[in-house]
Amino acid sequence: MSHHDVLHPETLPAEPEKATLEGRNKYLGFWFFLGGETVLFASLFGTYISLRNSTADGPSAHDMFGLDLVFIMTILLLTSSLTSVYAMYHMKNNAFKKMMLWLGITGLLGLGFLSLEIYEFTHYITEYGFTFRSSAFGSAFYTLVGFHGGHVTFGILWLASLMIRNAKRGLNLYNAPKFNTFSLYWHFIDVVWVFVFTVVYLMGKVG
Amino acid sequence: MTDNANTNNVVDEYQKTKNKEELKGHLISFAMMIVATLIAFGIVASGVMGKIYAIPVLVLLAVVQVAFQFYYFMHLKEKGNSMTALLIYGGIWAAALTVTGLGAITWW
């Protein structure tokens, strides 16, 4: 069998993302990366928890945060986690077009989340004059939530380039691990958001 | 796994059914995550709980949700993922130490 035949079998194996050595290595390596990301976000969360009451007489979490917008953002991102599960389901069934459709929906939900976050930040800046420089709380808030938003932005760009590059390739053992890696990344972004809405918004509202 | 490279349709159907069952599990865990989210927002929006009770409950609900993401959506519960699980547990351990450390420094 030639190299090409190995990567393009007649029928896709049960776990196309882990059928090649490269795929397995990518999978393991990506979890290693996620372990590092966990520590990165932990330091930002720790910093935020330490500084969240240092408002320097500026606006506090309790003054500004509203639950409605954050709730919609949460539902958008949670749903996008499910749609990427659907995409991987279709990948395992070798249904390339359906996989691309669900990946597209995932990207759109991510865009929706990002737009609301930008709206939220603009709202704080224009309505409350709450910026990165307002207080230690401001710096910690924008760093933590902005870092998460940055990850969402990066994820959307990653997904878009994956979809464009592979649009005409179809599904094979070469690109299946790529799609799966993105899906893992996207779930992880959702995991981080669960803590953002709990620690920043809900606990901020409680006091 | 290599045996499956030349599967016939019978095995394919078997695989499809298996994938479908897996998807059902994912749907259930998604429903649980939504429920956890609703409870968390509900606690804060209604203000039924005092601060001392609300915060531990909120953190617990977040941990439950994350467990669903890791174990079901990210397949950690499946066999052959012990190394990947070890890597993320290492990250979570370091994360817990970081947050506890920073929290302790501020508190005292």
Side-chain angles (χ1 to χ4, degrees), chain A residues 12 88-95, chain B residues 15-16 19-20:
Chain A
L12 224 53
M88 290 309 103
Y89 166 74
H90 289 302
M91 180 187 84
K92 287 182 178 174
N93 283 343
N94 201 4
Chain B
Q15 198 53 48
K16 274 194 171 158
N19 290 343
K20 198 145 217 170

Side-chain angles (χ1 to χ4, degrees), chain A residues 12 26 49 54 63 81 87 92 129 134 146 160 165 186 193 196 198:
Chain A
L12 224 53
K26 199 170 265 180
I49 291 169
S54 311
D63 298 335
S81 210
K92 287 182 178 174
S134 296
R165 183 66 183 96
W186 199 253
W193 179 254
V196 172
T198 304

Side-chain angles (χ1 to χ4, degrees), chain B residues 47-63:
Chain B
V48 283
M49 264 187 211
K51 188 181 166 183
I52 296 164
Y53 297 106
I55 287 177
V57 173
L58 291 177
V59 172
L60 187 73
L61 284 169
V63 171

Side-chain angles (χ1 to χ4, degrees), chain B residues 12-31:
Chain B
D12 225 15
E13 279 309 312
Y14 165 74
Q15 198 53 48
K16 274 194 171 158
T17 325
K18 238 184 103 185
N19 290 343
K20 198 145 217 170
E21 273 168 22
E22 197 182 271
L23 188 67
K24 243 182 231 166
H26 285 150
L27 274 173
I28 293 167
S29 67
F30 177 72

Side-chain angles (χ1 to χ4, degrees), chain B residues 17 19 26 37-38 47 64-65 67 72 75 78 102-104:
Chain B
T17 325
N19 290 343
H26 285 150
T37 306
L38 286 173
V64 168
Q65 275 211 59
Y72 288 93
H75 305 284
E78 283 161 30
L102 281 168

Side-chain angles (χ1 to χ4, degrees), chain A residues 9-26:
Chain A
E10 285 283 304
T11 335
L12 224 53
E15 291 184 311
E17 76 279 10
K18 281 184 269 182
T20 62
L21 179 62
E22 188 181 332
R24 282 192 293 276
N25 287 343
K26 199 170 265 180

Side-chain angles (χ1 to χ4, degrees), chain A residues 11-128:
Chain A
T11 335
L12 224 53
E15 291 184 311
E17 76 279 10
K18 281 184 269 182
T20 62
L21 179 62
E22 188 181 332
R24 282 192 293 276
N25 287 343
K26 199 170 265 180
Y27 186 73
L28 191 61
F30 197 74
W31 274 99
F32 191 57
F33 166 76
L34 290 183
E37 287 272 282
T38 308
V39 181
L40 165 81
F41 275 105
S43 58
L44 296 178
F45 272 108
T47 311
Y48 179 81
I49 291 169
S50 307
L51 300 176
R52 71 195 190 109
N53 294 320
S54 311
T55 52
D57 292 329
S60 72
H62 193 79
D63 298 335
M64 290 184 300
F65 297 162
L67 289 183
D68 306 6
L69 189 72
V70 176
F71 183 72
I72 299 169
M73 287 165 77
T74 302
I75 296 300
L76 283 182
L77 210 60
L78 266 179
T79 310
S80 82
S81 210
L82 182 74
T83 55
S84 78
V85 163
Y86 273 112
M88 290 309 103
Y89 166 74
H90 289 302
M91 180 187 84
K92 287 182 178 174
N93 283 343
N94 201 4
F96 179 70
K97 278 189 178 149
K98 283 181 184 165
M99 178 191 80
M100 291 293 262
L101 174 70
W102 284 105
L103 285 177
I105 296 172
T106 305
L108 288 178
L109 287 167
L111 267 181
F113 172 88
L114 201 62
S115 319
L116 290 181
E117 183 152 90
I118 292 167
Y119 166 78
E120 184 204 353
F121 283 5
T122 322
H123 177 72
Y124 295 154
I125 293 166
T126 52
E127 294 290 310
Y128 297 92

